[in-house]
Amino acid sequence: MEVWFTENQTPSVRLGLKVKSILHQAMTPYQELMVAETDAYGRMLVLDGAVQTTVMDEFVYHEMITHVPLMIHPHPQRMGIIGGGDGGAVREALKHPSVEQVHLVEIDAEVVRQAKRYFPEISVELDNPRTQVHCTDGIEWVRQARDLDVLVVDSTDPVGPAVGLFQPEFYQSVADCLGEEGVMVAQSESPFLEPEVIQMVVQGMRTVFPVVRLYLAAIPTYPSGFWSFTLGSKGPLPGPADLSRAKFATRYWTPAIHEAAFALPQFVEDLIR
Ligand code: SAM
């Protein structure tokens, strides 16, 4: 008998993945957490029915949400990651020798626990001495944080505890916690299926940051496979990446991709005009 996992991505679009086995399924205090072994994409983390990460395509998301802001900041040392309890963004951040400290702020301790258990290749740096894990609400944490160089919002969709991470008040707190050349990035969903989320994030960030840019990446298990990130910068402009700093291995991010990702199709330009 074949078993299929279905994600209702919108009321009229579904993603179907053939599942070999379900390894874990439980309610946490915040959400329903499932880990399954899929045929096509390997092990998969699902929260409230939405795919968060799969072993096969996670590198695209984690490299693009991390290396782009870290390469734009001239000398990133202190970084915060809101959400991201799987640890993929931490793993990428620690490839940068200048990064001395990464604060991972994940509201749901169970995500961190199950990531360590089922996704060792993704959560590999969570116990690194340069990583500090805080299991608390990122909105509150950002309010009292100061002097960060880069802040990454690696959140779930704007529902439940993540709603506040998409509001202008949150972007103001982020700007306040960043230093003079601070850079933030938030995952901002798909231009095909959630254009209104992109508009909300871009407009919200524009009320706070002098520089706001959208960039794109191909992530097959996310709705439509065509994903956006929104970057807000207090100073540095996204420009050509300094090759000499990129002395680490990546599978998606390259200096050429870094620049090309900011080239937007006309319909996306129109969306954020
Ligand atoms: N890559 C993923 C995606 O776009 O589908 C996101 C992965 S990561 C697992 C998202 C995490 O954000 C979840 O583990 C969730 O618990 C966390 N989260 C949601 N709201 C949060 C908040 N207010 N503070 C901190 N973490 C939050």
Side-chain angles (χ1 to χ4, degrees):
M1 189 184 71
E2 287 188 355
V3 178
W4 287 75
F5 161 80
T6 303
E7 174 179 340
N8 294 320
Q9 296 184 328
T10 75
S12 42
V13 178
R14 290 178 176 169
L15 168 76
L17 296 176
K18 195 168 156 188
V19 165
K20 290 181 184 165
S21 56
I22 293 176
L23 303 169
H24 181 86
Q25 195 167 18
M27 281 304 295
T28 77
Y30 296 96
Q31 50 212 342
E32 187 192 21
L33 189 158
M34 183 179 92
V35 179
E37 196 69 50
T38 71
D39 224 26
Y41 288 102
R43 207 160 274 191
M44 163 177 80
L45 173 68
V46 179
L47 294 176
D48 284 341
V51 178
Q52 301 296 305
T53 207
T54 79
V55 164
M56 187 128 136
D57 68 353
E58 58 89 7
F59 66 97
V60 183
Y61 178 86
H62 291 131
E63 290 181 14
M64 290 301 280
I65 203 166
T66 307
H67 298 311
V68 173
L70 284 171
M71 293 304 289
I72 287 169
H73 192 281
H75 189 62
Q77 292 176 299
R78 297 187 67 230
M79 181 179 180
I81 298 168
I82 307 302
D86 49 62
V90 171
R91 180 194 65 200
E92 295 306 313
L94 292 190
K95 290 179 179 173
H96 293 249
S98 70
V99 172
E100 294 168 356
Q101 203 173 35
V102 179
H103 295 276
L104 178 81
V105 190
E106 164 61 61
I107 201 166
D108 192 342
E110 203 46 26
V111 174
V112 176
R113 209 163 79 85
Q114 299 306 334
K116 285 183 177 176
R117 184 170 171 202
Y118 289 110
F119 298 90
E121 59 285 83
I122 301 178
S123 58
V124 58
E125 299 290 8
L126 288 179
D127 291 322
N128 188 302
R130 289 196 281 158
T131 308
Q132 260 184 274
V133 178
H134 311 264
C135 289
T136 187
D137 185 349
I139 298 166
E140 289 301 318
W141 187 87
V142 162
R143 272 193 204 126
Q144 47 73 45
R146 285 295 172 269
D147 296 327
L148 295 179
D149 300 310
V150 172
L151 195 281
V152 164
V153 187
D154 180 2
S155 71
T156 35
D157 304 338
V159 285
V163 169
L165 299 172
F166 291 79
Q167 303 300 319
E169 302 77 50
F170 174 68
Y171 302 134
Q172 184 60 60
S173 306
V174 174
D176 294 342
C177 84
L178 290 170
E180 265 177 28
E181 298 182 297
V183 180
M184 84 164 282
V185 165
Q187 72 90 359
S188 47
E189 313 275 320
S190 156
F192 281 107
L193 295 179
E194 294 105 346
E196 65 292 342
V197 174
I198 295 181
Q199 286 173 324
M200 178 172 77
V201 174
V202 169
Q203 280 164 16
M205 280 201 205
R206 277 185 184 149
T207 63
V208 174
F209 290 94
V211 177
V212 176
R213 296 275 195 284
L214 198 77
Y215 62 94
L216 301 169
I219 306 175
T221 56
Y222 285 176
S224 87
F226 193 59
W227 208 247
S228 78
F229 302 85
T230 306
L231 179 139
S233 172
K234 287 173 91 168
L237 286 167
D242 177 2
L243 271 168
S244 63
R245 270 168 63 191
K247 288 202 176 90
F248 41 79
T250 53
R251 293 174 64 205
Y252 189 91
W253 184 92
T254 65
I257 285 280
H258 180 99
E259 285 176 62
F262 287 94
L264 302 178
Q266 189 59 53
F267 82 99
V268 183
E269 288 279 10
D270 292 344
L271 199 63
I272 61 168
R273 186 168 299 140

